[in-house]
Amino acid sequence: MHIEIEKLYDLTGKVALVTGGTHGIGMAIGKMLAKAGAKLCVNDLSQERLDQCKAEYAKDGIEVYTLVFDVTSEEQVDKGITQIESELGPVHILANNAGIIKRVPILDMPIADFKQVIEVDLVAPLIVAKRVVPGMIVRRSGKIINLCSMMSVYGRQNVSAYAAAKGGLKLLTENMTCEWAKYNIQVNGIGPGYIATSQTAPIRENGHPFNDLVMTRTPAGRWGEPEDVGNAALFLASNASNFVNGHILFVDGGILANFGYVKGENDL
Ligand code: NAP
Ligand code: GCO
């Protein structure tokens, strides 16, 4: 590979924080950033998950720095980032990956549950970004990747809180861009399609009918893998995307491009 291309994707000397990076999409993102040379930190709510993930990262020769903190807590985020800055250095790359979903009809969802999803999926990315951006502004350099969703642009039944949060996160990504791009900080989103992780397991496994919908509606004809998202994150974390701002990069096998097939009559 030409040396110029290698340098374009070289993250040596960078510190990357992937929130909720102990498995699933976050781990795939973390692995790609670390393999490109970044010093990787991941956080989670659970020390047990953090301890478990170290062995998984080690299988790829990656030594991951781990911290327990709740991304919805300004105090815990401030304390966690301060510790990262002390142990690894300033955060150059932030992947706001931590997220939850609750699949409940609107009328059946307690407001407290709706607020919890909004807190984790929309407010927390703001909390963490606000803590790391001042240093990025001083250094006139930074990368922020917000994990959005197809539900940033489409609704579906039973995921109202998640869609409201991810829709807001798309616009927050664009607003962050408007205020921070002048400091050479690239803020973008990734909108994964249907990816095979623990989050989608309930609608993918054991013959769930939703699996048929995804397989029929996705032109690529498969569920995405976390690595499909990790590959896109490497691009957005690298110098290759230095003029990409406020963009939601959908990694979805073409599902958003597809109005829909009538199963078995795809040639008509
Ligand atoms: P996942 O398997 O549910 O993992 C989410 C991670 O976030 C977990 O490690 C979880 O920790 C952590 N987390 C949740 N709340 C947290 C908090 N308050 N503080 C710190 N960490 C917290 O999800 P995923 O499927 O990998 O998805 C990752 C991201 O991509 C999410 O933002 C999701 O909305 C988004 N996304 C996923 C898909 C998909 O099809 N899978 C598609 C589009 C977008 P614990 O496990 O300890 O709770
Ligand atoms: C669901 C799924 C989706 C995916 C993803 C799609 O219940 O519809 O969990 O929300 O997680 O967000 O982009």
Side-chain angles (χ1 to χ4, degrees):
M1 183 184 295
H2 199 284
I3 185 65
E4 281 180 22
I5 302 299
E6 285 187 10
K7 285 175 67 177
L8 204 55
Y9 284 86
D10 184 2
L11 301 183
T12 304
K14 304 290 188 185
V15 174
L17 168 61
V18 180
T19 64
T22 58
H23 59 278
I25 287 171
M27 175 170 274
I29 293 173
K31 284 186 174 180
M32 287 308 284
L33 303 186
K35 289 175 180 177
K39 281 191 280 184
L40 176 66
C41 176
V42 301
N43 86 302
D44 201 293
L45 285 168
S46 150
Q47 186 61 55
E48 182 184 2
R49 275 202 189 279
L50 288 166
D51 295 341
Q52 288 168 349
C53 86
K54 285 188 172 186
E56 193 60 34
Y57 278 106
K59 289 177 184 174
D60 286 31
I62 297 166
E63 183 182 359
V64 63
Y65 182 81
T66 61
L67 274 180
V68 175
F69 64 84
D70 180 344
V71 292
T72 66
S73 162
E74 291 181 81
E75 181 184 0
Q76 290 187 37
V77 168
D78 182 49
K79 186 179 175 186
I81 302 294
T82 300
Q83 193 167 340
I84 295 169
E85 290 167 340
S86 168
E87 306 267 344
L88 300 180
V91 175
H92 300 94
I93 301 162
L94 167 63
N96 276 314
N97 168 80
I100 62 172
I101 191 169
K102 292 183 187 293
R103 299 184 179 94
V104 179
I106 292 172
L107 291 180
D108 299 338
M109 179 180 269
I111 295 299
D113 285 8
F114 187 96
K115 287 181 176 178
Q116 184 192 6
V117 175
I118 297 293
E119 281 293 321
V120 179
D121 293 4
L122 177 57
V123 180
L126 174 62
I127 290 172
V128 185
K130 281 188 73 169
R131 176 57 182 81
V132 301
V133 156
M136 293 179 172
I137 289 173
V138 168
R139 292 188 300 278
R140 291 296 191 271
S141 174
K143 297 281 187 179
I144 296 175
I145 302 166
N146 293 323
L147 270 292
C148 296
S149 162
M150 295 188 322
M151 305 308 151
S152 294
V153 292
Y154 281 107
R156 88 167 182 83
Q157 81 263 32
N158 300 335
V159 294
S160 59
Y162 182 83
K166 295 297 188 180
L169 187 57
K170 172 179 180 291
L171 269 296
L172 180 60
T173 298
E174 293 167 10
N175 277 272
M176 287 175 172
T177 293
C178 295
E179 296 191 25
W180 298 338
K182 59 177 171 280
Y183 302 114
N184 189 36
I185 299 168
Q186 290 81 50
V187 186
N188 291 287
I190 293 178
Y194 283 99
I195 312 296
T197 70
S198 55
Q199 189 247 50
T200 52
I203 58 169
R204 175 167 37 87
E205 295 174 352
N206 305 317
H208 194 287
F210 205 91
N211 180 60
D212 290 340
L213 172 77
V214 172
M215 295 301 286
T216 305
R217 283 290 315 275
T218 306
R222 68 176 174 88
W223 283 77
E225 294 299 329
E227 290 72 22
D228 293 316
V229 183
N231 297 337
L234 174 58
F235 166 67
L236 291 176
S238 77
N239 286 326
S241 60
N242 285 353
F243 199 55
V244 180
N245 299 77
H247 182 72
I248 311 300
L249 177 55
F250 287 99
V251 182
D252 68 357
I255 194 171
L256 285 182
N258 177 29
F259 173 71
Y261 295 127
V262 177
K263 193 166 184 177
E265 302 174 53
N266 294 350
D267 300 329
L268 295 183

